[in-house]
Amino acid sequence: MSQMKVYNTLTRQKEDFVPMEEGKVKMYVCGPTVYDYIHIGNARPYVVFDTVRRYLEYKGYDVTYVQNFTDVDDKIINRANKENSTMQEISNRFIQEAFHDADGLNVKRATIHPRVTEEMDLIIQMVKDLIDKGFAYEDKGTVYYDTKKFPEYGKLSRKNLDELIAGGSERVTVDDAKKNPTDFVLWKPKKEGEPSWPSPWGEGRPGWHIECSVMAKHHLGDGIDIHAGGEDLVFPHHENEIAQSEACNGCQFAKYWLHNGFITVDNEKMSKSLGNFFTVRDIAAQFPYEVIRFFILNGHYRSPINFSRDLMQACQNGLERIVNARKELDFFLQNAPEGKITEEEKAQLKDLEGYKTQFEAAMDDDFNTADAISVIYELVRFSNIAVKAGVSKEYALKIQDMMDHLCTVLGVAEINEDSISDEDTEKIEALIAKRTEVKKAKDFAAADAIRDELSAMGITIKDTRQGVQWFRG
C-alpha cells in the first residue's frame, strides 16, 4: 500500500499523511456565510473536501468532520433589514437551502455543523483568554489581536508584516485605535439595529476570525489534523485563526492545511458586476447536480478550473459514459445464466485489481481526482468489453463490485439500489405487456408513449430475442 501524501499550504510541499492519533482524523472545513444561495465557488470546497473525507474513510480512518455555518455577519444583517426580516430567519432559511444543494451534490452531512450564534459564550471566553495572556487589547469596546505579540504571524501565507504595512494591503484594515496596522478585531461594539450579545467589553458581536478558532477547539480539541477551505481564506482568515488558536492553546493548531483553487467563468473571475455569477441552483436548472460534482472532480483540487457550458456538457457526456456502462453491466447480470468464474477469468483478476491499485495511487497523491476518474474510464472500457464477450456471471459481479467501489469513493455515478415493490413490479409488467400488444398492432406512437412512461418511473427496457427485459436505471 502506497503512503498517502498531501500538499500542505503551511510548508508548501507534499508530506506523508500521518494523523496525530493513529486511525483517527480530525478535520475542520470553513463553511458558507448564509445570506444567499451557495454559488459555484462555494460548491468546490463542499465537493472537494467531502471527497477527501470519503477517501480517508475508505482508507479506514475514523473521521470527525466539522463544517460550520457563519450565521452572524454584515451581509446577513443587511439582507434581513432589506427584507424586513431577522438575522435568524435569513440564516435558518439559507442553511436549509445550503443543505438542499449539498444533498444534490451528494455531499455527506458533516459530523457536526456548528453555528456561530450557538458558540457565543465560548467565543467570549477565548477573547478573555487572549487578553489575559497578553495577545489582545481592548479600546472603547473593541478588542484587537496584537499581531506583534505572535512572532510567527504570516507563516501560513508567507506574508511579511512590514511589507503588508508598507504596501497598504486591501486585506489590512486601517484603524487609528490599532497598535499595529495588521492587528485585527476579535470583538466589536454594538451598532444600532444590529443583534448583539453581552460581554465584559459591552454589548457587541465577534469578529469573523475568532469564530472558527472557537468552533474548531470546541468540537475537535486544541490541535486538529486537517484544516481546509478555499485559497482565498489563506490570508487573512486562516492566518488569523493560527495566531488566535496557537496563542490561546499553546500548541500547533492544524497539522495540515489544504486549500482548493479558484473557479473562473469563461476564463474570467466570477463576480456579480461582470454578470457571470452563478449559484449552484442556477446551474442545477440546466445540468443535474451530479454533473456539477463530476465537473468539480475533473480537475485537481489545487488547480484553478474554468466553468463554461461546453465543459459542463463534456462532463455530462463523460458521466453518462460511466453510468451507461454500469447499466449495461446490470442488464447483463439480470439476464445472464448462473455461472462460475472460469480459469481464464481467474487469470484476468489481477488486471481488474490493477484498476484499484491505480485509483488508490492517484488518490494517495494529494487526492488527484482527475487521474482517479481516468482510471474509472479505463475500467468502463474493460467492463464494456467483458459484457460484449459474455463473461461468467461471477466474473461480471466482480467487475460490478469494483466499479461501485471506486465510484462511491468519489461520490459519482452511484446506482440507486432501492428495491421495487410487488405492486410496482405488477404495474411495470402490465405496461410492458400492453406495449407488446400495441407494437404488434403497429401502433408505434403508443408503444413509444409507454416506453416514455416507464422511463419516467426510472425503468429501462430492452427488446431482445428472448422478449422484453427491464431493469431500474
Side-chain angles (χ1 to χ4, degrees):
M1 185 183 291
S2 59
Q3 172 64 49
M4 192 191 307
K5 289 185 178 291
V6 301
Y7 182 87
N8 190 350
T9 306
L10 185 65
T11 60
R12 301 295 195 275
Q13 63 185 13
K14 287 182 186 177
E15 300 176 4
D16 289 346
F17 180 71
V18 182
M20 294 183 293
E21 184 179 350
E22 188 176 351
K24 295 187 177 181
V25 175
K26 294 186 288 185
M27 186 171 178
Y28 186 93
V29 180
C30 287
T33 300
V34 283
Y35 69 98
D36 205 341
Y37 297 99
I38 64 171
H39 55 72
I40 186 64
N42 300 134
R44 193 173 192 192
Y46 260 98
V47 170
V48 162
F49 299 119
D50 171 72
T51 306
V52 168
R53 173 202 189 170
R54 284 168 177 263
Y55 189 63
L56 290 169
E57 290 175 340
Y58 166 82
K59 297 282 277 190
Y61 290 106
D62 178 10
V63 181
T64 304
Y65 189 90
V66 178
Q67 185 173 37
N68 74 295
F69 286 115
T70 298
D71 62 345
V72 52
D73 182 87
D74 289 343
K75 291 177 180 177
I76 303 171
I77 294 166
N78 292 341
R79 181 152 193 163
N81 291 338
K82 186 179 176 182
E83 297 185 6
N84 196 26
S85 183
T86 66
M87 186 182 74
Q88 185 179 26
E89 286 171 349
I90 296 294
S91 297
N92 287 343
R93 172 183 159 196
F94 286 110
I95 284 171
Q96 292 310 310
E97 298 294 0
F99 277 137
H100 177 90
D101 287 330
D103 291 346
L105 292 166
N106 200 18
V107 171
K108 295 167 65 176
R109 296 292 171 97
T111 314
I112 306 157
H113 282 287
R115 302 186 189 193
V116 174
T117 54
E118 296 171 351
E119 310 273 334
M120 211 55 70
D121 289 346
L122 294 174
I123 289 171
I124 291 167
Q125 185 58 53
M126 183 176 278
V127 175
K128 285 171 66 178
D129 290 346
L130 288 168
I131 292 173
D132 293 345
K133 292 182 178 186
F135 288 96
Y137 57 94
E138 185 256 345
D139 184 274
K140 298 174 184 173
T142 300
V143 182
Y144 298 94
Y145 186 96
D146 189 343
T147 53
K148 287 287 187 183
K149 294 290 180 69
F150 189 71
E152 291 186 291
Y153 189 77
K155 66 180 178 178
L156 179 68
S157 59
R158 304 286 175 98
K159 291 185 182 293
N160 179 287
L161 261 67
D162 295 330
E163 288 175 3
L164 281 172
I165 296 164
S169 169
E170 63 180 20
R171 294 200 162 196
V172 174
T173 308
V174 177
D175 185 340
D176 291 339
K178 292 181 179 182
K179 290 182 179 179
N180 314 290
T182 50
D183 293 353
F184 56 90
V185 172
L186 299 175
W187 187 266
K188 50 191 169 185
K190 177 183 179 178
K191 288 182 183 177
E192 194 62 39
E194 290 188 357
S196 61
W197 288 261
S199 81
W201 320 285
E203 289 274 330
R205 60 186 173 95
W208 174 32
H209 313 298
I210 193 71
E211 300 164 354
C212 287
S213 283
V214 169
M215 289 183 280
K217 178 182 173 73
H218 179 196
H219 299 288
L220 295 171
D222 291 351
I224 65 178
D225 296 295
I226 296 173
H227 197 313
E231 68 177 359
D232 57 315
L233 298 181
V234 173
F235 185 85
H237 186 51
H238 288 167
E239 193 71 73
N240 292 350
E241 277 191 68
I242 290 174
Q244 295 162 159
S245 296
E246 296 190 359
C248 182
N249 302 331
C251 63
Q252 184 181 35
F253 176 36
K255 190 172 181 181
Y256 304 98
W257 287 86
L258 276 58
H259 293 95
N260 64 270
F262 290 117
I263 291 183
T264 57
V265 177
D266 293 322
N267 294 308
E268 288 189 298
K269 184 178 178 182
M270 184 173 70
S271 74
K272 289 183 178 177
S273 61
L274 291 173
N276 65 355
F277 183 89
F278 296 107
T279 66
V280 172
R281 201 69 59 89
D282 292 333
I283 300 165
Q286 300 175 45
F287 295 95
Y289 278 103
E290 60 187 1
V291 174
I292 302 173
R293 183 183 181 99
F294 194 64
F295 159 74
I296 289 168
L297 295 179
N298 260 273
H300 191 283
Y301 79 91
R302 283 191 287 115
S303 301
I305 55 173
N306 182 50
F307 173 84
S308 72
R309 177 177 292 278
D310 288 347
L311 288 170
M312 287 294 290
Q313 188 60 59
C315 285
Q316 183 162 19
N317 295 342
L319 185 60
E320 283 176 359
R321 192 174 142 203
I322 297 170
V323 171
N324 288 340
R326 177 62 164 78
K327 287 179 178 178
E328 288 290 335
L329 191 54
D330 278 0
F331 183 76
F332 176 81
L333 283 165
Q334 237 179 26
N335 298 285
E338 293 298 326
K340 292 289 185 183
I341 191 167
T342 67
E343 290 303 315
E344 183 182 354
E345 289 167 349
K346 283 180 184 176
Q348 292 173 0
L349 284 177
K350 66 178 186 299
D351 296 331
L352 186 58
E353 280 297 315
Y355 294 113
K356 179 182 173 185
T357 303
Q358 292 173 52
F359 179 91
E360 290 182 356
M363 292 297 287
D364 281 343
D365 184 15
D366 193 32
F367 310 106
N368 192 334
T369 54
D371 282 0
I373 287 171
S374 295
V375 175
I376 291 175
Y377 281 143
E378 288 297 315
L379 178 57
V380 161
R381 182 171 171 273
F382 182 88
S383 174
N384 289 340
I385 291 170
V387 166
K388 193 172 180 181
V391 295
S392 69
K393 191 166 187 175
E394 185 180 353
Y395 189 48
L397 282 166
K398 290 183 182 297
I399 297 171
Q400 182 193 58
D401 183 60
M402 183 64 71
M403 197 178 290
D404 289 352
H405 201 66
L406 304 188
C407 285
T408 300
V409 174
L410 299 185
V412 299
E414 293 185 271
I415 302 297
N416 185 350
E417 299 289 2
D418 291 346
S419 60
I420 300 172
S421 68
D422 291 343
E423 187 179 338
D424 283 343
T425 299
E426 286 178 16
K427 183 179 179 182
I428 291 162
E429 290 180 347
L431 283 168
I432 289 171
K434 186 178 177 183
R435 178 176 172 273
T436 301
E437 286 176 18
V438 297
K439 276 189 76 178
K440 282 179 182 175
K442 299 192 183 305
D443 187 352
F444 299 114
D448 288 344
I450 294 169
R451 180 188 284 272
D452 291 342
E453 186 179 348
L454 288 163
S455 181
M457 294 169 64
I459 301 302
T460 299
I461 59 174
K462 278 197 172 187
D463 294 306
T464 71
R465 289 180 181 177
Q466 290 76 37
V468 180
Q469 297 172 336
W470 63 270
F471 59 96
R472 182 191 287 277

